[in-house]
Every structure is written in C-alpha cells, then in structure tokens.
Amino acid sequence: LGYLPGGTTDNYKETQTQTQTTLNSITDASLLLRVGGLLSVMTYPGSNLEESRAVEHFAEGLAMLTTRDVGGWRGYVDGIPEYDDGGSIREIVSRALARVVSEGSKKQTWRVFLHKPLGRPLSPVLVTAMRIK
C-alpha cells in the first residue's frame, strides 16, 4: 500500500492507495481465501496513517469474528477510536466486516498478527491474517 512505484514526483499523491478501495480489496481477498490461506498486507503509516489504521482494525476484526466478548465483533468495532477522522475508519471497517460475515463462511476463524518495529511508529507494518476454519 502507498504510492505507485515509478510514479512521477509531480503527482505521486494522485496515485496513492485510498482507504476505502484498500478495504474493499482486502475484504474481497478474505472472502476468497480457503482454510489455511494467508492474507498479508504491508502498510505504511508514514504515507497514509488512516489507511494503515483501517487495515489493522479490519484484520483485528477478522480475529474478533469468533470472540466470546459481549457484543461480539460489533462490540469490537464500536470500540474503535474516532482518531481525528470523525469516525470514518470505524464505519469503513464495520461495513467491510459485515460483508465478510454475510458473504463468508458462517464458522470462519482467523488468527491475525501485527509485525512492526518498536520505537518507530511511522515505519512499515506487516499485517497477516490466516484463516484457520
């Protein structure tokens, strides 16, 4: 995720990935994965912090599909902070997860990991999600 490699320096932000289309794409990918499949996404908080946060929350939401916590995965989504985006991350993630629930396997289970360097908040972050059921 980020900017188009080889893009001109004049318009590099015009070719940057967008939060909504990124979530649409990884939602599609998660629906295509079979048991044992792995979804890997490299995010760049230094380039697009909103998109990086949304990807992380979506992935964690996949793990929360089987939670026993009160409120289930929707309770998790309701707890996503507003940051400074007016709640748009929460809304985008909620729609994406609702689609996974409605269109995906009813008993799907995910294990999700976040790989990021400590002490470097704007460094690239690798998010992995494996469908185990």
Side-chain angles (χ1 to χ4, degrees):
L1 304 177
Y3 300 113
L4 176 67
T8 64
T9 56
D10 299 352
N11 67 351
Y12 69 94
K13 289 203 176 203
E14 293 175 16
T15 54
Q16 180 179 8
T17 54
Q18 303 298 312
T19 304
Q20 183 63 61
T21 55
T22 295
L23 262 287
N24 290 345
S25 296
I26 64 174
T27 299
D28 290 344
S30 68
L31 288 167
L32 292 171
L33 280 178
R34 296 179 180 165
V35 172
L38 179 70
L39 176 65
S40 299
V41 181
M42 182 69 78
T43 70
Y44 297 88
S47 297
N48 189 337
L49 184 57
E50 176 188 89
E51 181 180 58
S52 185
R53 286 174 172 162
V55 169
E56 289 180 29
H57 285 300
F58 172 79
E60 189 168 356
L62 289 175
M64 298 301 287
L65 293 179
T66 54
T67 186
R68 294 181 182 155
D69 291 350
V70 175
W73 69 268
R74 289 189 186 275
Y76 165 74
V77 169
D78 290 343
I80 294 174
E82 244 184 60
Y83 302 108
D84 57 354
D85 68 345
S88 66
I89 290 175
R90 184 184 309 121
E91 181 59 34
I92 291 168
V93 170
S94 179
R95 282 194 310 263
L97 289 171
R99 189 168 155 232
V100 170
V101 169
S102 69
E103 296 177 27
S105 169
K106 299 303 174 209
K107 296 193 181 237
Q108 61 186 308
T109 302
W110 296 81
R111 291 296 175 262
V112 178
F113 297 91
L114 184 67
H115 313 271
K116 66 180 176 180
L118 299 175
R120 301 204 176 264
L122 299 181
S123 292
V125 175
L126 175 62
V127 179
T128 59
M130 177 179 273
R131 184 167 165 214
I132 62 169
K133 284 187 186 176

